[in-house]
Amino acid sequence: MRKRILASVLVLTMAASALTGCTRHSSSTREYTDFEAKDIKFETNLDLTNDNITLTVWESKEGPDTFIKEAGKKFTELYPNIKIKYVNVESTDANSKIALDGPAGTGADLFACAHNNIGVMAASSSIEPVPESEYDVIEKSCTASALQGATLTESDGTSTLYGYPVSVETYALFYNKDLISKEEIPTTMEDMVAYIEKYQKDNGGEQAFLFDAGNAYYSVMFTSTPDIHLYGETGSDVTNTYMNSADSVKQMNDFVNLAKVINMNTGDIDYKHNDSLFAAGTLPMDVSGAWNINVFEESGINFGITAIPSLTGSDQPPTNFMGVRCMFVSSYSEHKNEAAAFAEFLMTPEMQQLRCEITSTMPARDDVLENVNNEKIKEYLEGLNEQIQYSYPMPNMASASLFWSAFGSAYSNIWNDSSTDVQKELDTANKSATKN
C-alpha cells in the first residue's frame, strides 16, 4: 500500500491565466481548458494500491461523459496503475441500478447521482460513507450548502457524509434578450403581474413569463423563505414540512395573482411546454436551469440568465431548491479508497473548472467561476449564481419523497382554482407529507 499526497489546494485568488501548462482543447460542443496533470493541485489522505486496477465510473452523456474521460486521463497520469473506465448510466437511473448491479458484481465503483437520493441509497446500503480521514478534504473542496446536500442528517440529529459534490444546480430566470432587456425585467412578482398584463394586451394575448406551477420543484419557492426550509433547517424534521406556515400562505398571494393573469392550467404549462416556447424564441421569460443552456444555445436564441423576481414583502430573490450532483462510492466496490480518491480529484479547482467549461453547469465550490475561460458560459453561470445564493439543498432523507405528490397536488389545485382556500390546501399537503 502507499499514500500519495501532492501539493496543497489551489489558492482561491489564483487566476487561470497564471496556471502553467494550460492549453485549449475542443469537444463537439465547445472549447475547454486542458490542464497538465503535474500542475493539478491534489491532496488525499487515503492509502492507495500499487496493483494495476480499473475503476468503473457511471455518468451521464452529453457533457459529463467527456468530463469523466478527460479527468480520468489526468488521474491516470498521476497514478499510472489506476485506469478509469467510463460507462454511460444516467444519473437519474444510477440510484436504482446500483441496488441491482452492485450485489451482482457488475456495478460501478463510483457513480453520479443527485443528492436527494442519499436517504434511499443509504437505507439500502448501496453507498459507502466518506471516510472520516477525508472530511476535512471534502469540506475545503465545496461550499457549505453543497456539503449539507451531500450529508444525510437523521431525525435524531446524527449525520453522515456520503457524497463528493461535483456540481450544484437550481433554476433561475432565463430571458430572451431580443424580446426583453435585463433592465426591463420586473424586479418583483407584483411588477411581473403588471408586465404580463401589458405584454398580453400589446401582443395578442401571448404569454410573457411561464414556469411549471404544478411542479413542486419549482413552486416550492412560493412557500419557502430564508428562515423556512422544507422539513426544517437540516431537512430532517419528519413531523413538519413548514410549507404551510403563515409566511408561506402570505407569499402564495403572488402565486395566485400570477395564476389569474397567466390564466392557463398547470397541465398546459409544464416545463417541457415552456422550454419549447423559449427555445422557439416566442417566450420572453422562462424559469429553467443550466441543463437547458446547451439546448437554448443550439436553438440560436440570444438569451441571458438572472435571478427570479422577489416575492411580496422581500427585497431578494425567492428561496428555492438547490440540487447537488455528487459522486458516490459504491459499497460493493472492491476499490473503495481508489474510487474515493478519484472522486476527490474531481473536486479540485482545475477539474471543477474543466467540468464547468464542458458541461455548462455550476461548480460545487466558490473559487472557480472567475477562472472559467469561456466568456459566454461564464456569463450564464454568473447569472445562475445570482439565484443560487438564495437556494437551499433539497432534503435527502428517504421520507422526503412524500413531499412531491402531496405538494404538487396542492400547488396545482391552488393555481387552477383561485377560490381555493390556500391555508387549508397547504395544511392538507403538510399532513400527507409528514410522519406524525
Side-chain angles (χ1 to χ4, degrees):
M1 303 292 285
R2 67 178 177 180
K3 181 181 292 183
R4 181 160 188 168
I5 303 178
L6 300 182
S8 60
V9 177
L10 185 68
V11 177
L12 301 187
T13 56
M14 179 180 287
S17 59
L19 293 171
T20 60
C22 295
T23 58
R24 301 292 290 170
H25 282 224
S26 63
S27 66
S28 59
T29 54
R30 61 172 53 87
E31 289 188 335
Y32 55 86
T33 304
D34 184 19
F35 296 93
E36 294 291 336
K38 63 183 177 63
D39 295 319
I40 298 172
K41 311 304 184 295
F42 177 58
E43 174 185 21
T44 186
N45 300 310
L46 296 165
D47 288 325
L48 306 182
T49 184
N50 287 312
D51 297 337
N52 292 322
I53 66 169
T54 297
L55 297 177
T56 297
V57 181
W58 287 352
E59 245 291 13
S60 302
K61 293 190 297 185
E62 299 181 2
D65 51 348
T66 301
F67 169 63
I68 291 297
K69 291 173 184 177
E70 291 300 310
K73 292 176 185 177
K74 303 307 175 190
F75 190 75
T76 298
E77 287 185 45
L78 297 179
Y79 301 94
N81 63 307
I82 304 176
K83 303 295 190 295
I84 305 300
K85 178 184 178 182
Y86 165 79
V87 175
N88 173 225
V89 174
E90 296 300 306
S91 63
T92 51
D93 300 325
N95 62 321
S96 57
K97 189 172 176 59
I98 194 64
L100 297 173
D101 291 10
T106 57
D109 295 289
L110 187 70
F111 63 93
C113 194
H115 83 278
N116 57 301
N117 293 294
I118 290 178
V120 172
M121 294 190 296
S124 65
S125 300
S126 295
I127 52 177
E128 189 74 8
V130 173
E132 289 188 11
S133 66
E134 304 310 287
Y135 274 31
D136 188 54
V137 173
I138 305 305
E139 289 175 1
K140 289 179 180 178
S141 302
C142 64
T143 62
S145 55
L147 185 68
Q148 179 183 336
T151 304
L152 177 63
T153 300
E154 306 288 355
S155 57
D156 62 2
T158 59
S159 61
T160 305
L161 178 60
Y162 282 99
Y164 300 78
V166 292
S167 180
V168 295
E169 66 180 19
T170 193
Y171 43 91
L173 188 73
F174 284 59
Y175 63 99
N176 186 322
K177 293 181 178 181
D178 294 331
L179 300 178
I180 184 171
S181 68
K182 187 173 183 179
E183 292 70 29
E184 293 175 307
I185 296 173
T187 57
T188 69
M189 283 298 179
E190 182 179 6
D191 291 340
M192 178 65 82
V193 169
Y195 184 91
I196 293 171
E197 289 179 323
K198 185 177 186 304
Y199 189 88
Q200 290 174 339
K201 182 179 179 180
D202 295 343
N203 294 275
E206 293 292 322
Q207 297 291 352
F209 165 75
L210 292 174
F211 70 101
D212 193 346
N215 189 329
Y217 176 66
Y218 295 94
S219 291
V220 72
M221 64 180 167
F222 289 90
T223 51
S224 298
T225 76
D227 300 317
I228 300 172
H229 292 180
L230 179 62
Y231 296 115
E233 183 178 0
T234 60
S236 59
D237 187 347
V238 297
T239 67
N240 201 336
T241 66
Y242 300 96
M243 296 293 99
N244 60 335
S245 70
D247 285 341
S248 300
V249 173
K250 182 179 179 181
Q251 288 186 162
M252 285 294 286
N253 287 331
D254 286 321
F255 187 82
V256 171
N257 289 335
L258 284 168
K260 290 177 179 177
V261 67
I262 292 175
N263 195 30
M264 294 177 69
N265 284 341
T266 54
D268 297 325
I269 54 170
D270 67 9
Y271 66 90
K272 292 181 181 179
H273 169 269
N274 305 340
D275 293 344
S276 294
L277 290 180
F278 190 77
T282 60
L283 180 65
M285 292 174 284
D286 179 30
V287 175
S288 191
W291 51 87
N292 269 327
I293 286 177
N294 289 348
V295 174
F296 294 153
E297 273 199 322
E298 290 171 3
S299 73
I301 61 172
N302 180 24
F303 70 97
I305 308 172
T306 190
I308 298 169
S310 64
L311 304 179
T312 299
S314 175
D315 59 358
Q316 66 183 42
T319 304
N320 67 336
F321 276 158
M322 170 193 292
V324 183
R325 191 186 188 95
C326 296
M327 302 303 295
F328 294 98
V329 174
S330 168
S331 61
Y332 305 102
S333 172
E334 295 181 357
H335 310 294
K336 293 182 177 66
N337 277 9
E338 291 74 24
F342 184 52
E344 292 175 358
F345 181 74
L346 300 181
M347 296 176 67
T348 61
E350 297 88 346
M351 291 301 97
Q352 286 283 280
Q353 178 181 335
L354 180 66
R355 195 180 199 285
C356 285
E357 293 177 349
I358 291 175
T359 67
S360 305
T361 53
M362 288 286 293
R365 52 191 301 152
D366 58 11
D367 58 345
V368 172
L369 280 187
E370 63 186 18
N371 297 334
V372 171
N373 286 308
N374 187 310
E375 289 302 318
K376 181 173 285 189
I377 295 303
K378 189 174 184 178
E379 178 187 339
Y380 293 148
L381 297 184
E382 286 175 344
L384 283 168
N385 200 43
E386 292 177 19
Q387 179 64 47
I388 211 165
Q389 301 301 313
Y390 303 94
S391 306
Y392 67 97
M394 291 179 284
N396 56 25
M397 61 178 180
S399 59
S401 60
L402 297 171
F403 164 76
W404 301 106
S405 61
F407 275 85
S409 295
Y411 295 132
S412 292
N413 292 341
I414 294 168
W415 181 276
N416 295 333
D417 184 357
S418 60
S419 66
T420 300
D421 185 322
V422 174
Q423 181 71 71
K424 183 177 180 180
E425 194 71 41
L426 295 180
D427 287 345
T428 299
N430 182 68
K431 185 176 181 180
S432 298
T434 53
K435 294 183 176 181
N436 291 298

